[in-house]
Amino acid sequence: MVINKVIKVSLICLSVLFVYLQIIQSEYYADLIKTILFLGLTSLFLFDKECDCIFFKLFLLLYTVGQILSFATWYIEIDYTNDIDYIYYVANSLYILSYILLIWQILSRLNLREIVSKYYIAIAVLIILDIFCVSIVSATTEGVLGFYEYTLEFLYNGVIMALLSVSMINFMHRDDKRSINMLMASIFIVFSEIIQLAYFYVAEYPELNIISSIFLVFAFTLLYLTAKLENEEPVDFLEKSLEA
């Protein structure tokens, strides 16, 4: 119990330090602290016997491994004119798989047949919006990245938009504290990724990287709080709104 409290306080301090290092543009140390931060968060959940969110634990594990690989690029020289950046592909593939596991964590608690029959119009609208948003966002990298890199980025953006849509449906169905936390975390993840994309491929304004980092901290804070909550009985959002 004491060890857990120490780890939690340390993670809070590391989060603040991470944002501060981004503000002063100390990229190397910010990336180092980010890696340590995810290692601590993952360890906290892996050894938490009270938390039975297996897909969430796997999500954190894969995301952390991806972060470790990303940090390793500080020590690996790559000739981008001749060599393939395998770390880029592997790290981003791990991020994609981690978000897919997070989506599955949400879906595993839902009756999919009931959800589709009840929210088929909302699902159709969200799919159309997802395709539109992913196409617009991915277009910012079209002239910068090669075909395979662009395809990976398109898939990455598609997965995080799917996470947001699934979280939205989950909130509409349950309308409880856990679902609203998950929805807010997904929103922060999407904005963090989009802003980071703008920072990398549109304009390298330091403010964009800072905002992206703050959103990422908020997202994982909410994910941590969500994983600690239990699902309540589903309360249909639309029916609740009509009753009000």
Side-chain angles (χ1 to χ4, degrees), residues 10-209:
S10 300
L11 291 177
I12 294 171
C13 294
L14 287 172
S15 299
V16 174
L17 179 59
F18 167 62
V19 173
Y20 170 73
L21 289 170
Q22 292 285 25
I23 292 173
I24 65 174
Q25 299 180 49
S26 181
E27 296 292 337
Y28 170 80
Y29 289 106
D31 214 16
L32 173 62
I33 294 301
K34 182 180 177 182
T35 304
I36 296 172
L37 184 61
F38 278 107
L39 281 170
L41 186 61
T42 302
S43 300
L44 188 66
F45 271 95
L46 287 180
F47 298 104
D48 187 353
K49 296 179 180 180
E50 295 180 359
C51 180
D52 60 347
C53 306
I54 181 63
F55 293 111
F56 183 74
K57 290 181 178 181
L58 290 173
F59 154 72
L60 280 177
L61 184 61
L62 289 180
Y63 195 98
T64 301
V65 174
Q67 175 57 34
I68 292 171
L69 289 175
S70 296
F71 179 71
T73 57
W74 286 98
Y75 298 96
I76 300 173
E77 293 185 7
I78 299 172
D79 183 0
Y80 291 98
T81 58
N82 299 315
D83 297 337
I84 298 174
D85 187 357
Y86 291 105
I87 293 181
Y88 168 82
Y89 288 103
V90 174
N92 280 281
S93 296
L94 287 171
Y95 291 143
I96 291 170
L97 286 174
S98 68
Y99 283 130
I100 290 174
L101 286 170
L102 191 57
I103 292 171
W104 190 254
Q105 174 70 41
I106 300 171
L107 293 177
S108 66
R109 299 175 182 272
L110 297 174
N111 184 328
L112 296 183
R113 185 172 297 179
E114 178 187 357
I115 293 298
V116 172
S117 64
K118 185 179 291 187
Y119 303 108
Y120 62 93
I121 295 178
I123 292 172
V125 171
L126 286 171
I127 290 173
I128 293 171
L129 288 175
D130 285 350
I131 295 172
F132 175 76
C133 291
V134 171
S135 300
I136 294 297
V137 171
S138 300
T140 60
T141 65
E142 197 168 4
V144 181
L145 301 176
F147 174 77
Y148 295 110
E149 292 171 325
Y150 174 79
T151 302
L152 187 64
E153 287 292 339
F154 192 92
L155 179 60
Y156 190 105
N157 295 331
V159 169
I160 62 171
M161 286 304 301
L163 173 63
L164 179 58
S165 296
V166 170
S167 299
M168 175 64 75
I169 294 297
N170 180 54
F171 169 68
M172 292 171 62
H173 180 61
R174 292 192 175 276
D175 191 18
D176 57 8
K177 190 173 182 179
R178 186 188 182 110
S179 63
I180 188 61
N181 280 355
M182 189 67 237
L183 176 60
M184 292 301 298
S186 301
I187 291 172
F188 279 124
I189 286 172
V190 169
F191 276 101
S192 175
E193 295 290 352
I194 291 175
I195 293 171
Q196 188 177 62
L197 202 68
Y199 173 74
F200 284 144
Y201 302 113
V202 180
E204 291 188 8
Y205 296 128
E207 295 80 6
L208 293 176
N209 201 25

